[in-house]
Amino acid sequence: MAVEPTALSTRILLLLVWVHHDLSFLVTLCGSITILYVDCVERPRGEDQYHMNQQEEESIRAEVLSLVRGEKPEPQRLIALLQRVQRHFGYLPRTAMIELAQFLHISPARVYGVASFYNQFRFSPPGKYPIKVCLGTACHIKGGEAVLKVWENKLGISEGQTTPDRLCSLDRVACIGCCALAPVNVVGDRIEPCVTPIRVEGLLLAMGVSPQRSTPEERAHASADREG
Ligand code: FES
């Protein structure tokens, strides 16, 4: 009987966890896979976008060291320190996570594994216009997912990402406390009530952002077509 590749990988993963009898092994493994994915898929896509020079990396390292000053290097403080770093930078720069790993004497894969487990953490800098799509129960029932899809298509990014020009970033959030106005989006610091897919383009125009940006894949196809 044929086994689906995803089912097979899940079984291998469970077998490895069973062999190691250790959940932290799974976290580290997931972290390593995520780092590999970011390096192989996400990073090349946004390489110029978030490229830091040595001076910027040095400055991030110094800022992280000052953020953890007075802390004991205890791995159980990881989530609290990740939250502190994200509050300071607005996201978790890769260099900051590596510095944090060194400070806590744990592997960068473990830091990445923990950070990527929680959707409160983001890995790209927030845009000038942060867009948050509420997907709490009320907003979900009233079509929040469809609205999120339209934002993704119009901006050419997925949730958790920032456009290459850093104008817009897109995130899903849980209930923001105004369910009567569902589905709700937060654009910048403005709450937008009753957002339908059709309203998304108007909201973009109000921000001065031209909609219908193409996705990286569409741009690659378009340039291949031009050259062909
Ligand atoms: S579920 Fe969206 S505001 Fe409550």
Side-chain angles (χ1 to χ4, degrees), residues 18-191:
W18 180 73
V19 166
H20 284 259
H21 291 282
D22 182 3
L23 203 61
S24 68
F25 166 76
L26 179 63
V27 170
T28 307
L29 186 68
C30 291
S32 309
I33 292 169
T34 314
I35 285 179
L36 205 63
Y37 175 78
V38 168
D39 277 346
C40 298
V41 181
E42 292 291 342
R43 189 168 262 258
R45 198 193 290 164
E47 196 165 23
D48 294 332
Q49 188 183 348
Y50 306 125
H51 180 74
M52 283 184 200
N53 58 38
Q54 205 180 345
Q55 208 178 352
E56 284 170 318
E57 294 203 341
E58 289 296 326
S59 132
I60 285 183
R61 274 195 278 273
E63 285 173 63
V64 171
L65 286 180
S66 85
L67 286 172
V68 298
R69 189 165 298 139
E71 286 280 345
K72 289 193 183 128
E74 297 168 338
Q76 62 268 32
R77 294 280 300 141
L78 175 57
I79 293 178
L81 293 178
L82 282 170
Q83 287 168 333
R84 194 180 297 173
V85 169
Q86 174 153 295
R87 255 197 316 276
H88 181 78
F89 293 105
Y91 74 111
L92 296 176
R94 184 183 163 86
T95 310
M97 285 190 285
I98 293 171
E99 194 60 35
L100 211 48
Q102 276 172 8
F103 171 72
L104 295 173
H105 308 299
I106 55 178
S107 70
R110 184 160 164 206
V111 174
Y112 210 106
V114 170
S116 56
F117 182 78
Y118 297 100
N119 64 9
Q120 62 174 296
F121 297 116
R122 55 174 301 122
F123 303 101
S124 54
K128 181 177 170 195
Y129 302 111
I131 298 159
K132 298 186 175 80
V133 179
C134 178
L135 288 178
T137 308
C139 290
H140 181 79
I141 289 170
K142 291 271 189 100
E145 282 283 356
V147 173
L148 176 64
K149 281 278 165 288
V150 176
W151 279 114
E152 288 182 329
N153 291 339
K154 298 282 181 201
L155 294 169
I157 56 173
S158 303
E159 53 150 320
Q161 294 184 333
T162 305
T163 54
D165 54 13
R166 296 205 188 176
L167 262 183
C168 301
S169 52
L170 183 63
D171 289 287
R172 67 163 69 204
V173 290
C175 180
I176 52 172
C178 32
C179 309
L181 306 175
V184 178
N185 289 181
V186 184
V187 178
D189 47 16
R190 233 184 26 251
I191 290 182

